[in-house]
Amino acid sequence: MKIEDRIPRDRRNDYSKEMAGKRREFLTDKTGETLEYTGQYSIDPAVLPGNIENFIGIVQMPVGIAGPVQINGEYAQGQFYVPLATTEGTLVASYSRGMRVINECGGVTTTVVEQFMQRAPAFLFDNARQARDFGEWVSANFTQISEVAESTSSIAKLQHIEQWSVAKMRYLRFNYTTGDAAGQNMVSKATLAASEWIKQHSPIPCDYLLSGNMDTDKKHSQLNMIHSRGRRVIAEIVLKKDVLRKIMHVDSRMMAKAAVLSNVGARIAGAAYNGPHSANGIASLFIATGQDEANVVESHAGHLSHELLENDDLYLSVTLPSLIVATYGGGTGLPTQKECLNLLGCYGKGKANKFAEIVAATVLAGDISLACAVIAGHWVSSHDRLGRNRP
């Protein structure tokens, strides 16, 4: 690479307005784009180390407020105004409409069931019998392995290790709890220490790769639908038939039939989620609150369940088996992201379960709204009026 093609950097102080300006000037010279709006921002670049490299400015994302929504959770209790960062017209209005239905029906009940974060090294042997015997040794030495792993962090706690043999390989999936952090980097460090200890002390010679790809980091997998990665959280409600008819102009029996059709369609398609659109609410909330946006691919997967009750009210629930969220560390502490978390009372330690419940409640609200819009025939017309279909 030629020297004149290198992106400008300052090893002593790369996070400054001056260096951001130099990089924008460099890009203007290379591409002709002035980056006028990207270069207008209010935060101090000094807060950005650990969040980005080669900083040039800010991409401004519109943020709207949906709600309020009544949540009857174990951690999230009361009414919440939910910040959604999006460029999709109708989205915030749709979620607000679903939240109105939830409120009229007494609120949504939310439950966090469990939380894990994984790293899955693959160990290699000379043959399958060595791999099998190694697995038995790992199980017998779990206490020592967990002590080594947990010595790298004050937060990460090793709960159990899943194991699979394939050919002459043994895949170990380390499952940790990570407090209010998402924890991917935390568990990588812990598992590296544990794997080095295992390699040194195993009676069977072995080598390993820190990730054998069974942790499915930032990839959807059926394994994560069964064994949670992140938080398994459930939001449920009984939709009153009179409320559905009054607000959404939808019959509860028709909504139940539509859910069956959607279940079959999702199964045929092999979709990761059988409801209308969990990713919309999750992505918008993630961007607004400084979550790792790539985790949407794992977090959006789940199950929309329904049951038509004897009185024609409709039980509806969303289960998100692998919702990966954080309220501390990473991008959550950046100024605007912190403000959005504070709107929800969710910034800082001890708030991740509360935030997870709010995310699940938001997903349920969006599914209620979109499902009813499709049934009532308002889906296209609402986008014509508020969204991208406008002439």
Side-chain angles (χ1 to χ4, degrees), residues 296-353:
V296 174
V297 72
E298 295 173 83
S299 299
H300 90 281
H303 314 279
L304 181 69
S305 306
H306 77 282
E307 179 185 352
L308 187 65
L309 305 179
E310 290 185 2
N311 64 352
D312 282 351
D313 287 348
L314 184 66
Y315 169 86
L316 202 65
S317 72
V318 162
T319 300
L320 301 174
S322 295
L323 180 65
I324 302 173
V325 296
T327 57
Y328 185 76
T332 64
L334 296 178
T336 57
Q337 290 80 353
K338 182 178 179 180
E339 287 178 352
C340 286
L341 281 170
N342 279 331
L343 282 175
L344 300 168
C346 286
Y347 176 72
K349 296 182 179 180
K351 302 295 179 65
N353 284 340

Side-chain angles (χ1 to χ4, degrees), residues 173-190:
R173 199 172 195 240
F174 286 64
N175 289 266
Y176 301 83
T177 56
T178 57
D180 293 287
Q184 289 100 322
N185 294 333
M186 186 188 304
V187 303
S188 294
K189 184 176 181 179

Side-chain angles (χ1 to χ4, degrees), residues 13-29:
N13 182 22
D14 203 47
Y15 293 90
S16 66
K17 290 185 177 181
E18 291 73 22
M19 283 309 303
K22 286 184 178 181
R23 282 188 281 267
R24 289 197 302 274
E25 291 172 3
F26 167 83
L27 292 171
T28 299
D29 180 61

Side-chain angles (χ1 to χ4, degrees), residues 177-247:
T177 56
T178 57
D180 293 287
Q184 289 100 322
N185 294 333
M186 186 188 304
V187 303
S188 294
K189 184 176 181 179
T191 305
L192 175 61
S195 296
E196 283 294 306
W197 186 91
I198 289 171
K199 183 178 178 179
Q200 292 172 13
H201 292 83
S202 169
I204 305 171
C206 62
D207 205 351
Y208 73 93
L209 186 66
L210 183 58
S211 175
N213 223 10
M214 280 198 74
D215 32 41
T216 68
D217 200 6
K218 298 178 182 176
K219 296 176 285 291
H220 166 67
S221 72
Q222 186 60 31
L223 181 57
N224 288 349
M225 300 285 275
I226 299 168
H227 189 295
S228 306
R229 178 176 168 83
R231 283 168 169 79
R232 179 175 292 261
V233 57
I234 300 168
E236 55 189 342
I237 193 171
V238 173
L239 296 174
K240 298 176 182 178
K241 61 181 180 180
D242 295 338
V243 172
L244 284 174
R245 187 177 298 111
K246 179 182 70 173
I247 298 177

Side-chain angles (χ1 to χ4, degrees), residues 282-305:
I282 294 173
S284 298
L285 249 176
F286 274 21
I287 294 170
T289 59
Q291 308 300 308
D292 187 334
E293 63 275 10
N295 288 332
V296 174
V297 72
E298 295 173 83
S299 299
H300 90 281
H303 314 279
L304 181 69
S305 306

Side-chain angles (χ1 to χ4, degrees), residues 151-177:
S151 70
T152 65
S153 170
S154 62
I155 299 173
K157 303 298 178 185
L158 182 61
Q159 301 300 309
H160 59 276
I161 303 173
E162 300 168 280
Q163 301 192 40
W164 296 269
S165 276
V166 180
K168 55 182 181 179
M169 300 168 289
R170 190 77 170 186
Y171 289 84
L172 306 185
R173 199 172 195 240
F174 286 64
N175 289 266
Y176 301 83
T177 56

